[in-house]
Amino acid sequence: MLCVNTAFTSFLPRKSICFFSSKSTTPISCTLQGTVAEPKSTAAGEPLLLNAVRGIDVERPPVWLMRQAGRYMKSYQTICEKYPSFRERSENVDLVVEISLQPWHVFKPDGVILFSDILTPLSGMNIPFDIVKGKGPVIFDPIHTAAQVDQVREFIPEESVPYVGEALTILRKEVDNKAAVLGFVGAPFTLASYVVEGGSSKNFSKIKRLAFSESKILHSLLQKFTTSMARYIQYQADNGAQAVQIFDSWATELSPVDFEEFSLPYLKQIIDTVKKSHPNLPLILYASGSGGLLERLALTGVDVVSLDWTVDMADGRRRLGPNIAVQGNVDPGVLFGSKEFITDRINDTVRKAGRGKHILNLGHGIKVGTPEENVAHFFEVAKSIRY
């Protein structure tokens, strides 16, 4: 079993990460890391996660987990029994705050993400939907024509989702800068995939048919989502979000050339727009299965690229370069393993990521049925690491 002993690291080079046996003060391994830009001096008072993203010197990688508030937690299951509708849970200020804070109270992650859904803005855009237990998202009137796109309204979050702003404001007060409060949005192509397909899809034939036979219709829809999501990020930041993650979950269903037409320019537009109004807001981009697109993800201008577990962390670092922070990327399935196995995988990921500009996370959301005690162990090990 590997663990980190912090008492004997002062003599080591500043950019070494050392892992120790629990029975010895002699390092098992020390890795010199030279792929990350030289750390800046520590900024007092800011959450660890923000300092790490900005390249400021930190003592360890910050850690949070995608879907850390969710069905694996008994406390969340109790709320679900009382409030079975996902939309009710995610659109009620008190419930949103309570659920968002559940992992904070138990694990003290370095990031507290808003409990919500990427489809939450759809109702405010005149796209009726629901999230049905056992089935997932359901779009009641899938969009296939120019006339339907014309009926889609640009999103005004202050009017449509005031509970999001209220919840973020409360979360900032509750967390009190001991962790970063995170917001999130869906990327234009991913949102378009849901509304064109009518929900989740396995082969994405409907949106690809639209893209390759009537691309003007899809581009019009993508532009509406782009304008709306830029505004939504700004709204979240204005109400307390200290970083925002953009989920482009389905962009990796596109070939690289099609990604460059139907996703990349819209992501760049969102990021350029937000950076003009909120230049210091860290933006994180996650796309599952993105190994073939990493260099293109970097072209969006995001501050952090979140890697899924199919990408070797060291390779991801090399391909993205020293100026972009990385997030990830432990396989969520690892949390079903033994504590020793979980520890080894955490240490391997941190070693490969190198010192600084790394947010430790999973390569995808926590899976349903994950043992809560293993999540606790993940956080315990992660927070014991020292550069």
Side-chain angles (χ1 to χ4, degrees):
M1 172 180 173
L2 289 178
C3 63
V4 178
N5 184 327
T6 64
F8 298 90
T9 58
S10 60
F11 65 91
L12 294 161
R14 281 177 58 81
K15 295 175 78 174
S16 293
I17 303 174
C18 292
F19 302 90
F20 296 77
S21 166
S22 59
K23 297 180 180 179
S24 174
T25 60
T26 302
I28 291 176
S29 63
C30 292
T31 305
L32 280 173
Q33 301 295 333
T35 60
V36 184
E38 186 67 32
K40 304 171 187 176
S41 59
T42 301
E46 285 275 45
L48 181 69
L49 187 148
L50 300 186
N51 284 339
V53 170
R54 292 167 180 158
I56 294 170
D57 196 22
V58 292
E59 65 179 6
R60 63 171 175 84
V63 57
W64 71 280
L65 301 181
M66 286 183 276
R67 293 185 183 165
Q68 65 187 14
R71 290 173 287 179
Y72 73 98
M73 295 190 76
K74 293 182 175 62
S75 54
Y76 179 75
Q77 295 168 13
T78 300
I79 289 179
C80 292
E81 291 172 3
K82 188 174 182 181
Y83 303 97
S85 165
F86 179 87
R87 289 195 60 183
E88 182 178 9
R89 295 193 298 273
S90 63
E91 298 177 13
N92 176 294
V93 174
D94 293 337
L95 292 176
V96 169
V97 170
E98 181 179 355
I99 295 169
S100 301
L101 289 175
Q102 284 179 340
W104 167 248
H105 292 316
V106 178
F107 308 121
K108 288 295 186 289
D110 297 302
V112 175
I113 192 164
L114 176 78
F115 179 76
S116 187
D117 193 87
I118 63 170
L119 302 186
T120 293
L122 293 188
S123 292
M125 299 182 72
N126 196 33
I127 305 174
F129 81 102
D130 201 358
I131 298 176
V132 180
K133 184 177 181 180
K135 187 173 183 180
V138 176
I139 309 300
F140 295 126
D141 189 15
I143 293 175
H144 302 129
T145 68
Q148 288 177 298
V149 174
D150 289 342
Q151 296 301 309
V152 175
R153 296 193 297 261
E154 289 188 357
F155 184 53
I156 303 176
E158 297 89 342
E159 297 178 2
S160 300
V161 292
Y163 49 86
V164 168
E166 293 175 39
L168 285 168
T169 300
I170 295 169
L171 288 173
R172 275 295 295 275
K173 292 178 181 177
E174 291 288 331
V175 177
D176 192 29
N177 239 28
K178 295 181 178 68
V181 172
L182 309 176
F184 70 93
V185 302
F189 181 78
T190 290
L191 294 174
S193 296
Y194 278 109
V195 304
V196 172
E197 295 287 340
S200 300
S201 178
K202 291 184 177 180
N203 52 32
F204 297 88
S205 59
K206 294 176 183 176
I207 193 164
K208 290 190 176 183
R209 182 182 296 117
L210 191 64
F212 303 148
S213 65
E214 297 184 273
S215 62
K216 287 184 179 180
I217 295 175
L218 180 55
H219 280 301
S220 179
L221 179 61
L222 290 169
Q223 185 57 56
K224 288 194 172 184
F225 280 130
T226 298
T227 303
S228 297
M229 292 308 103
R231 183 177 295 152
Y232 194 25
I233 293 173
Q234 292 167 327
Y235 171 76
Q236 292 185 28
D238 289 341
N239 284 276
Q242 294 167 286
V244 176
Q245 180 155 312
I246 303 168
F247 286 89
D248 207 353
S249 309
W250 304 129
T252 52
E253 294 294 327
L254 294 168
S255 69
V257 66
D258 294 321
F259 176 82
E260 290 176 354
E261 178 176 356
F262 296 107
S263 182
L264 179 58
Y266 298 104
L267 289 168
K268 289 182 67 174
Q269 188 182 148
I270 288 173
I271 290 152
D272 289 346
T273 299
V274 172
K275 287 298 183 180
K276 287 177 183 176
S277 60
H278 298 76
N280 297 318
L281 178 72
L283 297 175
I284 306 167
L285 177 59
Y286 175 78
S288 179
S290 60
L293 297 173
L294 282 190
E295 291 82 0
R296 290 170 175 82
L297 296 185
L299 296 176
T300 61
V302 291
D303 303 283
V304 186
V305 171
S306 189
L307 305 176
D308 79 347
W309 72 94
T310 65
V311 178
D312 181 83
M313 177 57 79
D315 289 344
R317 271 292 204 193
R318 176 182 53 79
R319 291 170 61 189
L320 290 168
N323 296 319
I324 295 182
V326 292
Q327 178 174 272
N329 67 336
V330 178
D331 184 341
V334 166
L335 292 177
F336 290 103
S338 68
K339 289 180 171 57
E340 290 78 11
F341 184 69
I342 294 168
T343 300
D344 287 348
R345 287 301 180 90
I346 291 171
N347 288 339
D348 180 64
T349 299
V350 173
R351 183 186 297 111
K352 289 178 176 177
R355 181 186 178 113
K357 300 199 85 166
H358 173 221
I359 303 169
L360 182 60
N361 205 314
L362 300 177
H364 199 279
I366 298 178
K367 295 181 178 294
V368 177
T370 297
E372 197 166 337
E373 62 270 21
N374 285 3
V375 177
H377 179 74
F378 188 100
F379 279 109
E380 180 183 354
V381 172
K383 295 176 79 171
S384 74
I385 290 171
R386 294 295 180 271
Y387 287 134

